[in-house]
Amino acid sequence: MRTGFADLHHAVLKTDLCSYCGACVPACPVDVLSYAKEQPVIDGSCASGCRVCFDVCPENRAGGTVLQDYMADHRPDEERQLVGRLTDPELLARTGSGGLTTGLALYLLESGRVDGVVMTGFGGDSAWEPRPLIATTRGEVIAASGPKYALSPTLSVLDRIAEEGHERVMLVGLPCHIESLRQLQAAQDRLEEGPRRAVRAITHAVGLWCGNNFRTEGTERFISAVGVDPARVTEVGYTRRDGRLEFSVSTPDGSTGTPFGQYLGYLLAGQTAPSCQGCRRWHAAYADVSVGGLDTPGLKWSGFMVQTREGHDLVSGAEAAGYITVQDMSPNERAWLARKNQGSRGFGTPKPLYSKGNQR
């Protein structure tokens, strides 16, 4: 009998479709998986007949039924397309769009509805590498806000959720993370005690619209291209200078900023991760709330969609508590969303035939 990892290797790793979501390693019931070069590797023998790692992978074609069943059980009376933003003017000034995800996270954390928020910050093995974390304070949520343009194993924090005793958690992730989470929730009775408790603790999932993503070395190459030695970099992040968003790089000698558009343009010009080429999951269809920037430079509003009953309650609560302000999308914004949702996302090329069933 072929094991789950053999299926994972054949259908996902061998075909360069791994999105490095982080789900398979903590889900492994015999703890023989780890990561190397943004992919899972095996060191040991799979349990006989075990398929958990493959079943929770977002590239598993059979997962579509699991995802649809989840949404059928959680869909709200009305799915809404809205725009929203932070009400705090100081925090709003720091955002690239409306900061809605930050507002939702702060509402849940500060009201005691969750005791942690799974997010992605900078500072993994290198200063520019995404680092999954569990924010437990207002400052940690704010520090981790903003986009990270590289693959991140966000779901690798499942072990930490259990070890640190978190009981109610909000997760912020990309569409692939959200799909893996829903499949983990469906498979939770097959997980070991720690990951099972962690999955059950995740009460809210906010998905981020994803136009593209990149290998971590793409940012390293950009840093070199702007004349900074990556070996001397101590911190990266986003700053605003004269009203303009910049990608900032710090070394012991000081910091330098590059226009955000230049940074993103460099990544789009050739640093796309193979797993992201042609992916059409852009709007995180299985999240409670999916959030993203609208295609309007300088617009301080986040576009978002309320997709589950839990999402409806989250947005209503955050609005009533004064963390966010919300209004309906304009006809132009709805038209932009409709165009984006037709055919391809506008990036990359279609995935090969073997993954056609994955283009959900």
Side-chain angles (χ1 to χ4, degrees), residues 76 80 82 100-111 113-114 117 168-172 182 202-207 287-291 304-326:
R80 303 177 67 194
L82 304 163
L100 186 90
T101 301
T102 300
L104 297 177
L106 290 175
Y107 160 67
L108 287 177
L109 190 62
E110 295 182 340
S111 66
R113 287 167 172 79
V114 301
V117 181
R168 294 180 65 83
V169 175
M170 169 183 169
L171 180 137
V172 180
R182 298 310 186 204
I202 299 174
T203 57
H204 300 81
V206 174
D288 297 316
V289 180
S290 73
V291 182
F304 71 100
M305 292 178 273
V306 177
Q307 302 175 141
T308 66
R309 294 188 298 274
E310 293 83 354
H312 175 272
D313 293 345
L314 170 56
V315 170
S316 297
E319 184 180 20
Y323 283 83
I324 61 172
T325 184
V326 172

Side-chain angles (χ1 to χ4, degrees), residues 178-257:
I178 302 300
E179 290 193 17
S180 291
L181 170 65
R182 298 310 186 204
Q183 291 175 183
L184 282 161
Q185 290 172 328
Q188 61 184 274
D189 290 339
R190 298 159 56 198
L191 303 177
E192 292 298 292
E193 181 182 356
R196 183 169 62 249
R197 283 194 287 115
V199 168
R200 288 176 177 171
I202 299 174
T203 57
H204 300 81
V206 174
L208 307 176
W209 298 353
C210 184
N212 220 340
N213 213 348
F214 312 92
R215 294 288 195 191
T216 303
E217 60 261 30
T219 295
E220 180 179 4
R221 290 169 180 162
F222 176 77
I223 291 170
S224 295
V226 297
V228 178
D229 180 1
R232 304 190 72 243
V233 173
T234 57
E235 185 178 4
V236 302
Y238 301 102
T239 58
R240 282 199 173 272
R241 185 174 305 179
D242 299 327
R244 183 181 66 175
L245 186 64
E246 293 186 337
F247 177 70
S248 63
V249 178
S250 299
T251 69
D253 298 329
S255 63
T256 182

Side-chain angles (χ1 to χ4, degrees), residues 117-177:
V117 181
V118 175
M119 306 180 73
T120 301
F122 283 120
D125 291 338
S126 58
W128 56 86
E129 183 175 339
R131 175 176 61 90
L133 55 88
I134 305 172
T136 59
T137 68
R138 179 182 181 88
E140 289 172 347
V141 168
I142 293 170
S145 63
K148 314 298 182 297
Y149 290 105
L151 302 178
S152 171
T154 300
L155 290 164
S156 65
V157 301
L158 290 180
D159 289 336
R160 284 188 52 205
I161 291 174
E163 290 167 2
E164 296 176 9
H166 295 283
E167 297 181 352
R168 294 180 65 83
V169 175
M170 169 183 169
L171 180 137
V172 180
L174 299 176
C176 50
H177 300 130

Side-chain angles (χ1 to χ4, degrees), residues 74-96:
H74 292 263
R75 202 173 298 281
D77 294 335
E78 179 186 10
E79 294 182 63
R80 303 177 67 194
Q81 296 178 337
L82 304 163
V83 294
R85 65 183 179 188
L86 287 160
T87 56
D88 184 321
E90 183 177 342
L91 288 182
L92 182 62
R94 298 176 53 169
T95 68

Side-chain angles (χ1 to χ4, degrees), residues 17-28:
L17 293 176
C18 177
S19 59
Y20 195 38
C21 71
C24 57
V25 170
C28 176

